Amino acid sequence: MKKISNFIVEKRNFIIPIFIILAIICVFTSQKVKINKEITEYLPSDSETRIGLDKMDEEFSDVNTTSSFSIMFKGLTDDEKQTILKELEETENVDSVNHDDSEDYNKDDYTLYTVNVDAKSDSEVAKNIYERIEEKYKDYDMKTDGDIADENEVVLPTWILVVAVSGVIIILLFMCESYVEPFLFLFSILIAILLNNGTNIIFDSVSNITSSISAILQLALSMDYSIMLMNRFRQEKENEPDIKKAMKNALSNSIQSISSSSITTIVGLVCLVFMSFTIGKDLGLVLAKGVLFSLLSIFCVLPGLILKFDKIISKTKKKSPNIKLDWLGKFSNKARYPLTIGFVAVFIASFFLKGNLDIAYTSSDNDEVGKVFGKNNQIAVIYNTDDEEKVAKHLNEIKEDDAFNEKILSFLKKEED
């Protein structure tokens, strides 16, 4: 560990620029990463939904090339309704627009249009139409829904990232002993995040969910490594006035503990690979790689930054809260047997209760269009043409089965509520 620590500290002015250059390169390579927005592709191969979708692609690949999205406006006048209908119909590459004067498209103060596109929802054609319409009517009170809208929806809005990072900065400014330390921590993690995003190009594709949340999760999972190294450096400085030697000692003495902590995190993330829903594999591999890059950045970049800004860190020192947790340690030691029994009881109860949970495959909480006009749900039935008479008979039976239809209506109403 001594040799590694000495090399990192002595070559810090060479190492840091290399990491920065690699991070800049990764900014460009990250633009080449293929983002997969089709969540159904991560379903287990033996699931009924996956089998059905594969069969549809196999048999109807040349037919299933259309897509659509709904647009709901609020507060349109009668003239505006007709004007917008005409404008939507005349939009380049729009195949047709569904709208009439019935309650299906007009309810209270709301107006609905369904835009049909002769292209798949993940195509550039559909994306361009959606973006043009969004831009054209951005000043209206407008909501969208449908497969094209879902395809272009942002999984994690920018404001959430801003709030999350701001929260981290506030907490670090409050807890750290210098006003400069939090920004050094964030810079080293930023390098790791850029490296991780850029190296995602090694995968065939990365899900849009993973792409959206991996950065903030990487920040949350690895920030404590920076704090551990900084605290160790501060302790070494008390006995060693030479800051370079103090950093060498701090790095040498903390590599093992920080590495051990990160390895447990990486192993836990790699375990997601074994999920039957393979988005776990997608997320697990990307985050495990991200934690590894965070570890490298904290060991190779942060020591040099701390030494570079040591004087500024000393000048910006402040009081930080010293929260004593001795009582917690004493309590956990005294109550270790009851706590263990309680944990086992909760674990057993959770095992049996988990079967009572309702599983939601889609969320209607943010479906503003569905709340007003109801949700349209389609069911595709694939059958052998030799059995057409039998299938027609069954479909007629279902259509005339009032009890069955009542159940369907009840289910849909529950989903809307």
Side-chain angles (χ1 to χ4, degrees), residues 90-265:
E90 294 175 351
T91 302
E92 185 179 1
N93 293 322
V94 168
D95 185 56
S96 63
V97 179
N98 296 343
H99 176 79
D100 56 39
D101 295 331
S102 69
E103 289 189 359
D104 292 337
Y105 296 97
N106 301 272
K107 189 171 291 187
D108 298 328
D109 202 24
Y110 297 94
T111 306
L112 181 68
Y113 302 90
T114 300
V115 179
N116 303 303
V117 180
D118 191 16
K120 289 186 176 181
S121 60
D122 59 351
S123 65
E124 281 297 318
V125 172
K127 179 181 179 182
N128 291 336
I129 291 173
Y130 182 80
E131 289 178 349
R132 287 203 306 271
I133 291 175
E134 281 264 291
E135 177 64 24
K136 186 170 185 176
Y137 300 106
K138 63 181 180 181
D139 295 330
Y140 286 80
D141 188 347
M142 179 185 72
K143 304 293 182 183
T144 59
D145 184 35
D147 48 0
I148 297 178
D150 293 341
E151 192 72 31
N152 291 278
E153 182 183 14
V154 178
V155 176
L156 195 64
T158 304
W159 69 267
I160 293 181
L161 292 174
V162 172
V163 170
V165 174
S166 300
V168 170
I169 292 175
I170 292 170
I171 293 171
L172 289 175
L173 286 172
F174 180 69
M175 298 299 295
C176 289
E177 295 188 13
S178 166
Y179 290 111
V180 175
E181 289 176 15
F183 300 99
L184 300 183
F185 297 163
L186 289 172
F187 182 79
S188 61
I189 297 295
L190 175 62
I191 295 289
I193 289 173
L194 295 177
L195 291 173
N196 190 42
N197 288 345
T199 53
N200 283 338
I201 199 169
I202 65 175
F203 302 118
D204 292 335
S205 65
V206 173
S207 76
N208 64 327
I209 295 175
T210 299
S211 177
S212 299
I213 67 175
S214 61
I216 198 69
L217 287 179
Q218 184 179 345
L219 173 66
L221 289 169
S222 52
M223 178 57 72
D224 56 327
Y225 307 150
S226 302
I227 299 171
M228 292 167 67
L229 179 61
M230 189 69 210
N231 287 340
R232 187 70 193 188
F233 173 66
R234 193 177 290 111
Q235 293 171 6
E236 295 293 341
K237 278 181 65 177
E238 294 178 358
N239 302 318
E240 177 56 69
D242 187 329
I243 60 171
K244 286 174 62 178
K245 290 182 179 179
M247 179 55 75
K248 290 176 182 179
N249 293 335
L251 198 55
S252 177
N253 293 325
S254 60
I255 282 179
Q256 187 172 354
S257 59
I258 295 176
S259 298
S260 299
S261 176
S262 66
I263 287 172
T264 57
T265 303

Side-chain angles (χ1 to χ4, degrees), residues 314-328:
S314 299
K315 290 179 181 179
T316 57
K317 287 189 69 173
K318 66 178 185 64
K319 288 185 178 181
S320 60
N322 185 16
I323 303 173
K324 295 186 179 296
L325 296 175
D326 297 348
W327 62 271
L328 183 59

